[in-house]
Amino acid sequence: MSESEAVVLIGKKPVMNYVVACMTLFNAGAKQVIVKARGRAISRAVDTVELIRRAFIKDLVIKNISIGTQELTGQNGQKTNVSTMEIVLTRPK
Amino acid sequence: MSESEAVVLIGKKPVMNYVVACMTLFNAGAKQVIVKARGRAISRAVDTVELIRRAFIKDLVIKNISIGTQELTGQNGQKTNVSTMEIVLTRPK
């Protein structure tokens, strides 16, 4: 698996599901895992990262956190803006 | 007002309330405004910053974003962990 594919998209499942997804990627050799979320899932993304750091990888490095806006077009053609967040995680050797 | 006091704590009110709070601080001369949130309010903090950037201060600089965990003790003495986030905003001259 290439590093660039190590992305975990946070949705509405329990936090632990995403923690396991990240841990699986790291254990498969990923040097970098990117956690992505938008809208209400953003707080769950932070929960995921914090849980990994507290419980699994104490020396986890949060390399970068960025936020942005994505424009979505609804079924009725109406445009809405949704906030996005990306957290780049690396694990020291 | 000293710069260090320019903190907006995000709660459960509508996003626009916090946007106005940040804009008021900037307009009062604050060079830096820190947006803080915890738990579910984290996504609202991101919404606040993105709305300021899109609608009010196009050249807003997101100087830093940090996340963490805070330990809370409930009424029954039980400890729970809650995720926290801080976004440091500056406005270029």
Side-chain angles (χ1 to χ4, degrees):
Chain A
M1 179 179 35
S2 108
E3 275 183 51
S4 59
E5 290 172 308
V7 172
V8 173
L9 186 64
I10 307 294
K12 298 186 171 190
K13 292 179 190 163
V15 171
M16 192 49 82
N17 290 38
Y18 305 110
V19 170
V20 170
C22 292
M23 291 308 299
T24 305
L25 288 166
F26 274 126
N27 290 337
K31 285 172 188 63
Q32 182 170 299
V33 173
I34 303 174
V35 175
K36 291 188 183 188
R38 40 181 217 199
R40 298 303 119 209
I42 286 176
S43 47
R44 190 169 293 121
V46 176
D47 289 345
T48 301
V49 172
E50 283 298 302
L51 188 52
I52 295 170
R53 202 169 57 77
R54 284 202 317 273
F56 297 98
I57 312 178
K58 303 272 187 220
D59 54 355
L60 184 75
V61 175
I62 297 168
K63 203 172 157 192
N64 190 47
I65 304 177
S66 59
I67 61 175
T69 300
Q70 196 179 347
E71 195 178 74
L72 297 179
T73 308
Q75 288 176 316
N76 50 5
Q78 217 173 6
K79 287 193 167 96
T80 50
N81 290 307
V82 63
S83 297
T84 63
M85 180 153 130
E86 271 192 40
I87 307 177
V88 182
L89 304 175
T90 60
R91 182 181 199 164
K93 280 283 94 53
Chain B
M1 177 180 38
S2 108
E3 276 183 48
S4 60
E5 290 171 309
V7 172
V8 173
L9 187 63
I10 307 294
K12 297 186 174 193
K13 291 178 191 163
V15 170
M16 193 48 84
N17 291 38
Y18 305 110
V19 170
V20 170
C22 291
M23 291 307 300
T24 305
L25 287 166
F26 273 126
N27 290 337
K31 285 172 187 63
Q32 182 170 299
V33 173
I34 303 175
V35 175
K36 291 188 184 189
R38 39 181 218 199
R40 297 304 118 208
I42 286 176
S43 47
R44 191 169 292 121
V46 177
D47 290 344
T48 301
V49 172
E50 284 298 303
L51 188 52
I52 294 171
R53 202 168 56 77
R54 284 202 317 272
F56 297 98
I57 313 177
K58 304 271 187 219
D59 54 355
L60 184 76
V61 175
I62 297 167
K63 203 172 155 193
N64 190 47
I65 305 177
S66 59
I67 60 174
T69 300
Q70 196 178 347
E71 196 179 73
L72 298 179
T73 309
Q75 288 177 317
N76 50 6
Q78 218 173 4
K79 286 192 168 98
T80 49
N81 290 307
V82 64
S83 298
T84 62
M85 180 152 136
E86 269 191 41
I87 306 177
V88 182
L89 304 175
T90 60
R91 184 181 198 163
K93 281 285 92 57

